[in-house]
Amino acid sequence: MIVPWLKGFVDFSKSPMTWALIAFNLMIFLVLSDADSIRSNREIIRSNELTLTGKLYYQYKKKLPEKPLLTSSEWMLLGAEALRNKDFLSQFESLQFVGDQVEIGLWRDKIKVYLEQNNQRSSQIYGLQNRESSWRTFVTYQFMHASWMHLIGNMMMLVIFGTVLEMSLGGAFLIFVYLLGGCFAAESFLWMSKSSAAPMIGASGSLSAVMACYAAFEIKKRVSFFYMISPVKNYYGWIYLPTVLIFPLCFLPDLVGWVSTPEELGSGVAYTAHIGGAFFGALLGYSLKYLRHRPGFRIFLKQVSKY
Amino acid sequence: MIDRTEFQPQAYKSTHGIKPLNIAPVADRFLATAFDFVIFTPVVGLMLAPLFRRLELISMSSPQSTEFTVLAALAVFYICILSCLLQTLFLVWKKATPGQLFFKLRVVSVDHPEKHLSLTQSLLRSVLWTFEFFLLLLPFLEVFSDQQRRPLHDRAAGTMVITLKKDAEIAPHQFEAELVRKVMALSFMLLFFWGLTGVSHFYRMAMRGEFKRSELIANNYLCEEVSRSLDEEDAQNDGLRIDKAVGLYLASEVSDDCVLSEADFALWSSSDEGADWAYFAKGLIKKYDRELAASYFEQACQSNDQGAACELAKIHQGLLGAGENENVDPSDFSEQVKETETAQVLSAVYDFEQARYAEAEKRFVSLKETKGYTHFAQKGLIKSLWAQNKKEKAEGAFLGSLLQENSSEQRDVMAWLCLEQLDDQCSPKSKQACESLKEQYVGNLHQVENPLVAVALIKEKDCRKSTDMEIARFHELFKEYPDVLTWTKAVTEESNLSSTERLDLLRELSFRKTPVRPQVVRTQALQTLAEKSLRKSDIELVMKSLDSRKIKDLAWDKVFNKMKNRNLPTVEEDRQPASLKQDPSGEQ
């Protein structure tokens, strides 16, 4: 068992901005949490419907083969991909399909209901979707979370790295990195992840920027972790990991996750956003580290950290 | 008490006596390993990304395929190779893996601690280290039992893990070492026996030939019964296939699912052939959902408005609104429809129901020659022979059918024949068909699942006053078919009801608007009512329901005959069914 040791972080007076950010995120989550109120129409995700969706999507993507040879689970996979494909969903009503026309008619109605219900969800309104959606979503998505686990995981990282960054560079700078890093993450998500119908939400892109910025800026600082193998002397204690380890420990797995996820399946984690945010943060942190010894910059830094 | 210092020289002297070797703390080694995992996992993941991507896709779509097994085995193999190579690289280069570097541990040669490790030593150590994972990590436990804390891989390669920190580990206590060794021995023994049972299990499975799954998977796309009933060339023709499937379905030779899979195949493949038939078939199967059935029939005509399927669909669509007793009249069929097997089945059924038994017999004989319709044709033939009063021939055909395999179809025929005989003569005189039906059930505890069989057995009990079948045997069946229970109450003596109560029950079964399941209960009830009721209103109602029927098959004839036998003034000559005019000797 290895957990980050939070001793010394939980100090509201030293890092007010971090805690304000956390409170804000929590508030937004509680206000907009619609997990129970609007359930999406599950009917379309049942195996029969998904198989049918897959068959139709197959026709949309390619020419029909002589005989349908795919097994039903392969059809279902295709169906799942179809439900994430924006183009397909936007023109399914006008498309002509070969097949059981009665069943297809019923399917069209179900998809319509599904899409309507989906559009009412708050993640659809405030989450980041595509270039056509409003610029506001670039900001709003950074404060939305899907579940308690999602929120707690992200906020834990914010406590660890937000506080240290705020203590060394100031609250205003933290907000700056958080927001701009989030926008950068969003941009890289739109650029690198093709065909995703699920809107992106969560502070993880912004947090990647914060973490990378701190790691690049204070490359030799250490973060303490508590470990316990068994409650015997010498088998538990603290280890101090250098911040630079964040890159191989956090961002390399993101890269791996991105390249090893099948495009047909998609994944629940926006790896590309993490990578983009981290890239921005590292660049910023490293340039700050380079500039910090210039006298003019030191005065500027002092001015900034007052806020 | 044992003096612990005796066992553990704090600093191990190397043979050359240059530097004391501090034994590395076990906790540090554990953490270093965990750390290595965290570092190596993304590196290996990055190198094997294409493989993992493919593996994940296959694991979702077909986790039982050979492809998945092969890919998974490949993935395990590559992970082992890569982790061996990475470890060897770091050991030769730095005398430590990244995790060990971080926790200030070093792997040194016991003989020459100051020198770099040789390539052979490093490779041997990492290969053994990897292999120990396949032994469930048990050899790693040696770190608790060895005096220098050198597990298998360290001793084999002649290496030792030391710490550069000051807090060195001490050698394990004698008791501790002994205990760990015992635990290891026991675990290996369990592992061995587990492996032995596993291997013998697979051996027995292989000998029984249970590894045939691939063959089974290959066959479930199309309905097998249809393929069997077609010649090999015809089996490739979608249009012929689906016609055959519909025909077999109407003859109740194949199940709903069978026809559905055939129809889906025809609809979802690229050729248009058979689409009209497929829609027609789907409409037939969904006939209880009228709207859906209607839209399927419409679609059948939209896809091909000249075809036979469209014509049949139109006829069936016309029947959708009508009651349960309506049936297709094949006399309006056009030439192209008459050629289809579906039409042949429909005509045979229609002829029989319209009491044209001689024609029905011919049709059933010709169907018997067609592949796939054996049960249906045999059953029809026996019934139509019986109806023409060729009773000996019918019994002969029945006995002939007994020579074939024993099936539920056969029990159906037995029950039908039994009922016919009892309708003829309801007295305690022995009959062949009822005996062979009873043979199936008396003396064993088979559940009676077929309602027709139940009706026949109960009627037999009632007529012949036999005592070898208990009414309790039908308990489960009554739950599913409450109408059979009602009828049983009305006819058997065991129910202890008064005759008026009995007649009330019969009236309900006879004149109810909603369908009676199975239909034979209604005709049986009507017969009894026609025989026993003294009320004029009853007789009128029976006449009315006789009039409203288009189908006048054997069962309805009997109702009519029973009415006639009572010589009531309401019976008029022109209401006689066709069969009685042709065959006046009838069943009187």
Side-chain angles (χ1 to χ4, degrees):
Chain A
M1 184 184 71
I2 300 181
V3 290
W5 189 248
L6 294 180
K7 200 180 159 196
F9 289 111
V10 194
D11 189 344
F12 297 99
S13 59
K14 277 187 191 167
S15 51
M17 195 51 84
T18 309
W19 290 102
L21 263 179
I22 291 171
F24 186 64
N25 267 314
L26 183 66
M27 196 182 77
I28 295 281
F29 176 71
L30 290 177
V31 170
L32 291 182
S33 157
D34 54 13
D36 301 320
S37 57
I38 308 172
R39 278 249 167 248
S40 69
N41 185 4
R42 297 275 143 192
E43 208 174 311
I44 204 75
I45 313 177
R46 285 202 201 113
S47 64
N48 278 349
E49 297 298 328
L50 218 49
T51 310
L52 180 62
T53 314
K55 284 178 179 177
L56 299 178
Y57 185 62
Y58 193 71
Q59 295 177 24
Y60 164 77
K61 288 281 265 195
K62 299 165 200 161
K63 275 185 199 156
L64 205 64
E66 265 308 300
K67 304 270 176 201
L69 286 175
L70 298 175
T71 62
S72 73
S73 47
E74 279 169 303
W75 285 125
M76 279 165 68
L77 264 183
L78 267 182
E81 191 190 335
L83 290 182
R84 287 186 290 107
N85 188 321
K86 272 248 131 56
D87 294 339
F88 178 69
L89 290 182
S90 63
Q91 48 178 294
F92 76 95
E93 274 183 275
S94 56
L95 288 172
Q96 284 298 318
F97 296 110
V98 179
D100 185 339
Q101 297 303 325
V102 178
E103 236 177 88
I104 291 171
L106 295 175
W107 172 84
R108 280 187 219 268
D109 297 342
K110 278 181 203 159
I111 286 270
K112 235 183 268 173
V113 174
Y114 168 74
L115 289 179
E116 269 165 27
Q117 288 190 349
N118 236 1
N119 283 336
Q120 289 165 8
R121 306 170 84 195
S122 56
S123 67
Q124 204 77 14
I125 302 165
Y126 299 108
L128 181 83
Q129 299 203 52
N130 47 29
R131 289 190 193 285
E132 286 83 59
S133 53
S134 152
W135 61 269
R136 287 188 205 90
T137 55
F138 271 67
V139 179
T140 49
Y141 96 92
Q142 299 180 27
F143 300 98
M144 297 274 308
H145 286 90
S147 64
W148 276 108
M149 284 318 288
H150 190 200
L151 181 76
I152 290 169
N154 275 348
M155 291 307 110
M156 189 115 118
M157 286 324 234
L158 186 56
V159 169
I160 298 168
F161 291 97
T163 45
V164 284
L165 192 70
E166 190 176 350
M167 278 187 249
S168 55
L169 289 170
F173 188 77
L174 174 70
I175 291 287
F176 170 73
V177 177
Y178 187 97
L179 289 180
L180 205 63
C183 293
F184 226 87
E187 189 56 41
S188 64
F189 173 74
L190 291 179
W191 181 54
M192 291 199 275
S193 295
K194 289 160 253 162
S195 77
S196 171
M200 180 174 73
I201 54 171
S204 48
S206 326
L207 277 173
S208 296
V210 170
M211 284 159 71
C213 181
Y214 180 73
F217 183 63
E218 300 273 20
I219 231 162
K220 284 176 182 164
K221 277 269 172 70
R222 287 180 175 244
V223 183
S224 60
F225 285 83
F226 176 75
Y227 73 89
M228 187 165 89
I229 302 166
S230 75
V232 180
K233 197 183 166 235
N234 287 337
Y235 284 79
Y236 63 90
W238 287 266
I239 44 175
Y240 299 89
L241 299 181
T243 52
V244 71
L245 272 177
I246 286 168
F247 291 103
L249 291 188
C250 292
F251 301 130
L252 195 59
D254 278 333
L255 191 64
V256 174
W258 178 46
V259 292
S260 63
T261 304
E263 206 174 297
E264 292 90 331
L265 278 177
S267 77
V269 183
Y271 293 118
T272 47
H274 292 186
I275 295 166
F279 184 71
F280 168 79
L283 216 62
L284 187 69
Y286 196 73
S287 45
L288 284 181
K289 181 178 147 56
Y290 181 71
L291 288 172
R292 76 198 294 189
H293 299 299
R294 303 278 172 91
F297 186 71
R298 236 183 262 168
I299 295 163
F300 169 72
L301 215 59
K302 256 183 196 167
Q303 288 295 321
V304 166
S305 51
K306 273 182 191 170
Y307 297 101
Chain B
M1 284 294 283
I2 300 157
D3 182 10
R4 293 198 67 169
T5 51
E6 190 184 318
F7 297 101
Q8 39 93 24
Q10 173 99 337
Y12 230 81
K13 275 197 172 178
S14 91
T15 40
H16 297 274
I18 299 166
K19 239 185 197 173
L21 298 178
N22 287 340
I23 301 174
V26 178
D28 278 6
R29 289 178 77 168
F30 181 85
L31 284 173
T33 313
F35 207 84
D36 278 342
F37 269 103
V38 177
I39 295 279
F40 282 158
T41 308
V43 176
V44 172
L46 207 56
M47 289 181 186
L48 299 179
L51 183 63
F52 285 144
R53 198 161 49 204
R54 182 93 193 129
L55 193 62
E56 197 178 335
L57 200 63
I58 301 285
S59 74
M60 291 289 289
S61 61
S62 43
Q64 306 209 316
S65 61
T66 324
E67 190 180 5
F68 178 75
T69 321
V70 171
L71 279 178
L74 269 182
V76 171
F77 178 73
Y78 276 128
I79 290 169
C80 290
I81 295 279
L82 276 178
S83 65
C84 276
L85 288 181
L86 280 170
Q87 262 199 54
T88 313
L89 184 80
F90 274 99
L91 285 179
V92 172
W93 179 32
K94 287 276 185 190
K95 294 215 272 190
T97 58
Q100 285 170 333
L101 273 179
F102 191 77
F103 286 95
K104 296 202 165 66
L105 306 176
R106 292 292 181 274
V107 183
V108 293
S109 169
V110 178
D111 299 332
H112 309 284
E114 70 290 347
K115 285 188 185 169
H116 269 266
L117 289 176
S118 75
L119 183 67
T120 343
Q121 255 180 332
S122 323
L123 196 62
L124 185 58
R125 187 179 190 275
S126 20
V127 167
L128 278 174
W129 185 89
T130 313
F131 182 70
E132 281 165 25
F133 275 84
F134 292 100
L135 294 174
L136 303 181
L137 294 173
L138 285 174
F140 281 111
L141 282 180
E142 253 192 302
V143 87
F144 295 110
S145 66
D146 189 77
Q147 287 301 309
Q148 281 170 289
R149 304 212 177 258
R150 293 166 68 199
L152 181 64
H153 50 268
D154 269 334
R155 276 181 289 130
T159 57
M160 176 179 174
V161 183
I162 59 163
T163 178
L164 303 181
K165 293 187 206 159
K166 280 175 191 161
D167 50 340
E169 185 77 283
I170 48 171
H173 194 279
Q174 196 185 7
F175 291 152
E176 187 191 355
E178 203 58 30
L179 181 73
V180 171
R181 270 189 215 116
K182 294 254 163 70
V183 168
M184 275 168 67
L186 194 68
S187 313
F188 272 120
M189 225 143 74
L190 285 176
L191 193 65
F192 176 73
F193 281 116
W194 178 72
L196 207 64
T197 20
V199 166
S200 58
H201 173 69
F202 277 116
Y203 176 77
R204 267 179 279 130
M205 262 175 82
M207 288 324 237
R208 281 199 303 264
E210 283 177 25
F211 290 101
K212 275 192 183 172
R213 197 170 46 199
S214 54
E215 288 171 43
L216 296 175
I217 290 169
N219 268 334
N220 67 3
Y221 219 93
L222 286 167
C223 182
E224 216 189 320
E225 284 98 333
V226 178
S227 301
R228 236 188 286 138
S229 318
L230 283 165
D231 299 328
E232 249 176 56
E233 289 156 39
D234 293 346
Q236 306 299 324
N237 184 332
D238 291 349
L240 278 179
R241 270 196 85 95
I242 185 78
D243 171 26
K244 186 90 183 180
V246 174
L248 289 175
Y249 171 70
L250 287 175
S252 40
E253 294 272 358
V254 294
S255 66
D256 287 14
D257 288 342
C258 169
V259 184
L260 268 182
S261 64
E262 288 287 333
D264 273 331
F265 184 80
L267 283 176
W268 292 100
S269 61
S270 58
S271 68
D272 262 349
E273 209 172 351
D276 47 348
W277 276 103
Y279 283 123
F280 172 58
K282 279 199 162 188
L284 274 183
I285 291 165
K286 308 265 164 156
K287 66 185 165 210
Y288 297 109
D289 185 346
R290 267 182 207 168
E291 260 177 55
L292 197 60
S295 47
Y296 270 118
F297 288 144
E298 262 170 45
Q299 199 67 44
C301 284
Q302 267 181 33
S303 60
N304 179 8
D305 58 354
Q306 302 297 318
C310 171
E311 204 179 316
L312 283 170
K314 272 182 193 157
I315 295 169
H316 274 88
Q317 193 163 14
L319 295 180
L320 273 181
E324 49 171 320
N325 300 302
E326 292 296 333
N327 220 328
V328 186
D329 183 358
S331 52
D332 322 328
F333 285 170
S334 68
E335 279 308 310
Q336 63 162 347
V337 175
K338 276 181 190 162
E339 281 169 19
T340 62
E341 283 180 16
T342 308
Q344 287 169 31
V345 173
L346 284 175
S347 309
V349 173
Y350 188 75
D351 278 344
F352 183 78
E353 284 178 347
Q354 291 299 316
R356 292 196 291 264
Y357 299 119
E359 283 152 60
E361 185 192 333
K362 269 181 220 152
R363 288 195 192 273
F364 281 123
V365 169
S366 84
L367 265 178
K368 217 177 152 191
E369 303 301 314
T370 319
K371 236 175 164 184
Y373 294 99
T374 329
H375 295 301
F376 172 72
Q378 186 79 20
K379 202 162 109 183
L381 190 61
I382 294 171
K383 283 188 184 183
S384 40
L385 283 171
W386 182 271
Q388 292 173 77
N389 243 0
K390 301 177 184 168
K391 292 191 180 173
E392 272 164 30
K393 255 191 176 177
E395 269 164 16
F398 170 69
L399 288 175
S401 77
L402 283 185
L403 296 176
Q404 294 160 11
E405 81 213 90
N406 194 1
S407 68
S408 63
E409 290 285 324
Q410 219 170 51
R411 281 199 281 280
D412 245 20
V413 180
M414 286 180 191
W416 183 84
L417 215 50
C418 169
L419 268 178
E420 288 295 321
Q421 288 164 339
L422 292 173
D423 283 344
D424 253 8
Q425 192 176 39
C426 189
S427 69
K429 196 182 155 196
S430 77
K431 290 279 184 192
Q432 174 72 32
C434 283
E435 284 308 315
S436 54
L437 182 67
K438 275 172 79 179
E439 259 174 36
Q440 307 264 330
Y441 294 97
V442 175
N444 62 39
L445 289 171
H446 266 318
Q447 270 297 332
V448 182
E449 279 153 6
N450 185 336
L452 188 65
V453 171
V455 170
L457 288 175
I458 293 165
K459 179 134 182 155
E460 190 265 354
K461 193 176 164 61
D462 183 47
C463 284
R464 289 162 63 188
K465 312 283 177 238
S466 61
T467 50
D468 39 10
M469 284 293 287
E470 300 281 333
I471 292 287
R473 283 285 291 279
F474 309 108
H475 192 69
E476 286 294 314
L477 185 123
F478 286 153
K479 275 186 207 158
E480 204 182 332
Y481 300 94
D483 293 334
V484 178
L485 178 62
T486 319
W487 176 77
T488 311
K489 274 187 193 160
V491 293
T492 52
E493 284 168 14
E494 285 169 40
S495 60
N496 293 327
L497 294 176
S498 69
S499 58
T500 34
E501 280 171 319
R502 281 169 200 272
L503 283 176
D504 279 343
L505 287 178
L506 288 174
R507 259 174 224 127
E508 200 243 320
L509 285 176
S510 308
F511 308 128
R512 195 169 77 192
K513 285 269 159 54
T514 48
V516 179
R517 279 179 67 221
Q519 237 221 310
V520 66
V521 172
R522 178 166 279 183
T523 50
Q524 286 291 331
L526 275 167
Q527 279 188 53
T528 322
L529 203 63
E531 241 173 348
K532 291 187 180 161
S533 175
L534 299 172
R535 255 200 241 169
K536 203 176 172 189
S537 66
D538 281 348
I539 306 301
E540 273 166 9
L541 273 171
V542 173
M543 287 316 295
K544 217 172 134 191
S545 65
L546 271 179
D547 272 349
S548 66
R549 290 257 152 204
K550 280 190 187 161
I551 314 160
K552 295 196 170 53
D553 77 348
L554 221 47
W556 293 101
D557 272 1
K558 277 180 292 198
V559 179
F560 191 86
N561 287 336
K562 299 237 159 102
M563 296 286 297
K564 211 178 157 204
N565 287 347
R566 298 183 56 161
N567 286 325
L568 287 161
T570 39
V571 183
E572 290 164 22
E573 276 301 305
D574 60 330
R575 277 185 188 153
Q576 262 188 343
S579 68
L580 293 183
K581 285 178 190 163
Q582 289 166 1
D583 189 5
S585 63
E587 297 173 51
Q588 295 167 39

